[in-house]
Amino acid sequence: MWNDHQTLNFLANIMLTGVLLATLYVVGTRVLTLPFFSLREIRVEGVDHSQTVPVSLTHVTRDQIKQIMRNTADTNFMTVDLKALQAAFMELPWVRSVKISRDWPPALDVLLEEHVPLAYWGETALINTHGELFRAMTENAHLPVFVGPDVQSSHLITDRYQALNELLQPVGQSAQEIVLTPRHAWHIRLDTGTWLKLGRKHIESRLRRYVAVYQQHGESLTQQQALAYVDLRYANGFAIRKPSNVSHTLPRSGRAW
């Protein structure tokens, strides 16, 4: 073997390569620790869902940001773990998304998108404008309430919420609570306190029927108090109940109902 020049040259090359790699590692590690690579600045900015338009952060505080950077961020620009830093920001209850990038001279750009609350999800969570559930503390008592049979239904209710309110605009009313039952029937509580029972089909057309009748007969129907509920599931009219528990059935007229 010791007379095998090819084998000896091969072993020598392996040893030389190992020494060079170890040297590069040591030199590289020491170079990275130089003050030149110290993290000098962390820029945190709020953005909208498109990740392009700057917005003000309303729920994420400066103290929360400082705490995360102190606990998670390495002071070295090259070795800071961006994934760990991103995960730490995502644990904040009001953060929907995070984008972090390195920038030169040694700095980090942190783009935070906050949840925009749209409604309460029952008594357990909030729903943002994308129909996603999140859990955070809020003092906004004026948000509507959504209730559904499962988490996935939050998207369906969110998509329909704006359309329902647009249909109610002509009578100056809005949906304050939307309930989607396990059988996928729609119930709406208006800001007047009235419940509308819309059933499972023809939701928009039934709501238009309510609006048309209310525009013509709203004053006579609500002379003393708002209606307790309006059942719009009838094919040829609908039933109303006043707080006095007196029920009426309104037939369809040739023109309006």
Side-chain angles (χ1 to χ4, degrees), residues 2-255:
W2 301 110
N3 294 325
D4 190 343
H5 296 290
Q6 289 184 342
T7 301
L8 290 174
N9 288 336
F10 177 73
L11 292 174
N13 288 335
I14 290 178
M15 294 176 63
L16 181 59
T17 301
V19 170
L20 288 175
L21 290 175
T23 302
L24 289 174
Y25 174 78
V26 173
V27 172
T29 301
R30 293 190 175 183
V31 168
L32 290 177
T33 59
L34 293 174
F36 181 74
F37 290 101
S38 295
L39 194 57
R40 301 178 187 176
E41 187 180 5
I42 300 170
R43 297 185 286 264
V44 180
E45 188 175 55
V47 293
D48 68 353
H49 71 277
S50 66
Q51 296 284 325
T52 56
V53 180
V55 296
S56 299
L57 293 173
T58 57
H59 298 286
V60 177
T61 67
R62 183 180 297 272
D63 289 339
Q64 288 176 322
I65 295 171
K66 288 182 177 179
Q67 185 69 25
I68 288 175
M69 301 308 300
R70 185 162 48 245
N71 295 341
T72 309
D74 194 332
T75 57
N76 188 284
F77 174 75
M78 299 300 296
T79 60
V80 61
D81 189 338
L82 298 188
K83 288 185 177 180
L85 192 57
Q86 183 180 34
F89 274 109
M90 286 300 297
E91 290 181 1
L92 295 178
W94 282 97
V95 172
R96 179 176 183 261
S97 68
V98 184
K99 184 178 180 180
I100 305 175
S101 59
R102 292 182 174 90
D103 192 16
W104 196 264
L108 293 180
D109 289 326
V110 181
L111 301 180
L112 298 180
E113 179 193 0
E114 291 183 319
H115 292 287
V116 179
L118 175 67
Y120 293 105
W121 180 249
E123 298 180 353
T124 61
L126 292 164
I127 297 179
N128 65 22
T129 51
H130 300 274
E132 302 162 342
L133 268 64
F134 68 102
R135 287 172 172 80
M137 297 294 294
T138 179
E139 297 179 356
N140 190 342
H142 302 292
L143 294 175
V145 178
F146 295 169
V147 178
D150 49 47
V151 174
Q152 288 72 25
S153 62
S154 65
H155 292 276
L156 180 60
I157 298 174
T158 298
D159 291 341
R160 208 154 214 174
Y161 171 70
Q162 183 175 356
L164 295 176
N165 273 341
E166 288 177 356
L167 290 174
L168 288 166
Q169 279 183 354
V171 291
Q173 298 174 8
S174 62
Q176 289 302 299
E177 184 169 353
I178 300 178
V179 176
L180 182 62
T181 70
R183 297 184 68 245
H184 277 241
W186 292 81
H187 298 167
I188 300 175
R189 180 174 61 83
L190 304 176
D191 54 352
T192 60
T194 301
W195 277 97
L196 303 183
K197 297 185 178 183
L198 298 171
R200 292 182 293 174
K201 299 179 180 179
H202 313 299
I203 308 304
E204 284 80 6
S205 61
R206 289 173 177 176
L207 189 56
R208 289 190 187 96
R209 187 199 310 169
Y210 164 79
V211 170
V213 172
Y214 196 93
Q215 285 178 312
Q216 295 185 32
H217 306 284
E219 290 187 9
S220 61
L221 291 174
T222 59
Q223 285 180 351
Q224 296 178 342
Q225 289 178 293
L227 301 174
Y229 78 75
V230 180
D231 191 342
L232 293 146
R233 296 173 294 180
Y234 295 88
N236 297 314
F238 55 80
I240 65 173
R241 182 181 294 274
K242 293 188 175 182
S244 60
N245 293 328
V246 178
S247 297
H248 305 270
T249 300
L250 303 180
R252 178 194 296 269
S253 71
R255 219 172 27 157

